[in-house]
Amino acid sequence: MSRRRFLAASLAGGAAVTLAPARKALGAGSFEGYPDGMGVLVDLTRCIGCRSCEAACNREQNLPAPQEPFDDQSVFDQTFHGGTQKRRTDENHLTVVNRYQPEGDQKPVYRKIQCNHCNEPACLTSCFVNAYTKTREGAVIYNSKVCVGCRNCMIACPFNIPAYSYSSVLNPMVKKCIFCYETRLKNGNPPACVEICPQEALTFGHRNDLLKIGRERIRMQPGRYVDQIYGEKEVGGTAWMYLSNVPFEEAGFNTTLQKEPIINNVKDFLSTVPMVLAIWPALFSGFHLLASRKGEHGEDHEHPQQEDLKP
Ligand code: SF4
Ligand code: SF4
Ligand code: SF4
């Protein structure tokens, strides 16, 4: 790519992306997700930690074979960062199940984590090139074609979900659960992880209906459940929500998250410093085009199942 083409591409990219955050900021705090959006209610009281959901996700998303087989429960003993962190999602594991030992003599609880498909996703609002889309079906999906690799989304996500494929030198991209959008959700079908669960710990349905189901379970068995649906309000609401029999912090949930969408914290800032938005995304776009040299060497940054995903 010539220097002239680099600058032209940078400026074009910058102009396009400068408008995007402004549109996002205008809508901040007023969007509560699509009314007919789908979701999943995860009931921790039913989960037995079988990891069938991990295996189903691995197959559905054509991910590499894992180091440990999916029936190996020793993974629950793995910890990182000096024992402070349990397993998290990465480029080869779009969902993982972890085990937690609540206080007292209670039995351990298991928690499946994946992208929560927020109503107002921080990953989306932090992305200057609009690589993320919240679909009408409720999924938050990612388009590697336009991603410039800045990894803002990884910093912005309150649930530490997006992962970067560091292993691929030629084809780096952000990886996260996409709610089986291409293969299932957009056809009205439940995700692979939900379908496989032998305990019916995962319930697929319209988000509004799931909230009713969750409240009904709490009402019917108040001694069994904590009186809260995690994800109903957190960061403005999420499509994946949780019921628990132990205080949520004892199952590793971040209970300090705000109830407002994350963008509410920065919308005033976004509207007052347009130069920041104008300059640095343009540079990132240019660097990305230089690095990828799309069309000149036949290299492409597409993800086979995540292209052209705008609804
Ligand atoms: S959980 Fe993180 S990656 Fe998923 S939609 Fe929300 S902000 Fe984005
Ligand atoms: S919804 Fe699909 S991509 Fe997401 S964790 Fe479940 S199987 Fe994996
Ligand atoms: S398949 Fe169901 S029961 Fe098994 S670990 Fe996953 S959520 Fe829990």
Side-chain angles (χ1 to χ4, degrees), residues 53 56-57 60-61 94-95 112 114 117 177-180 191-194 240:
C53 48
C57 181
E60 184 77 12
Q61 301 300 331
L94 306 188
T95 184
K112 174 188 184 302
Q114 69 297 302
H117 299 279
C177 157
I178 50 161
F179 213 155
C180 291
C193 56
V194 172
W240 283 62

Side-chain angles (χ1 to χ4, degrees), residues 5 27 65 77 103 196 198 211 230 239 263 268-269 288 292 296:
R5 282 187 61 200
D77 297 323
E103 292 170 10
I196 201 80
L211 282 169
Y230 189 93
I263 194 175
D268 293 338
F269 170 76
H288 175 69
S292 61
E296 295 185 4

Side-chain angles (χ1 to χ4, degrees), residues 203-263:
T203 306
F204 174 69
H206 289 282
R207 183 177 188 273
N208 289 340
D209 294 337
L210 295 176
L211 282 169
K212 289 178 194 154
I213 291 170
R215 288 194 200 105
E216 185 62 8
R217 281 191 202 166
I218 293 170
R219 191 184 70 79
M220 294 292 287
Q221 294 181 281
R224 180 180 175 101
Y225 293 104
V226 172
D227 187 13
Q228 181 189 351
I229 302 173
Y230 189 93
E232 179 178 10
K233 305 275 188 204
E234 279 72 17
V235 295
T238 57
W240 283 62
M241 299 169 289
Y242 291 81
L243 289 175
S244 177
N245 56 322
V246 301
F248 282 98
E249 58 270 21
E250 293 183 22
F253 289 86
N254 183 346
T255 54
T256 64
L257 292 177
Q258 63 189 50
K259 307 300 180 201
E260 297 283 308
I262 300 287
I263 194 175

Side-chain angles (χ1 to χ4, degrees), residues 49-59 64-66 68-73 75-76 87 92-93 95:
C50 67
R51 300 182 65 210
S52 301
C53 48
E54 290 188 40
C57 181
N58 178 276
R59 283 192 298 273
E68 300 88 4
F70 286 112
D71 59 0
D72 182 351
Q73 301 231 329
V75 296
F76 296 138
R87 294 193 308 149
N92 298 324
H93 306 82
T95 184

Side-chain angles (χ1 to χ4, degrees), residues 114-124 132 134 139-141 153 156-162 176-177 235 237-238 262:
Q114 69 297 302
C115 171
N116 285 330
H117 299 279
C118 306
N119 288 347
E120 287 203 52
C123 56
L124 183 154
Y132 284 92
K134 173 79 176 177
V140 176
I141 56 176
C153 54
C157 173
F159 302 108
N160 297 321
I161 292 299
K176 74 169 195 69
C177 157
V235 295
T238 57
I262 300 287

Side-chain angles (χ1 to χ4, degrees), residues 46-53 97 112 196-199 201-202:
R46 299 182 179 189
C47 180
I48 55 173
C50 67
R51 300 182 65 210
S52 301
C53 48
V97 179
K112 174 188 184 302
I196 201 80
C197 178
Q199 294 296 107
L202 312 172

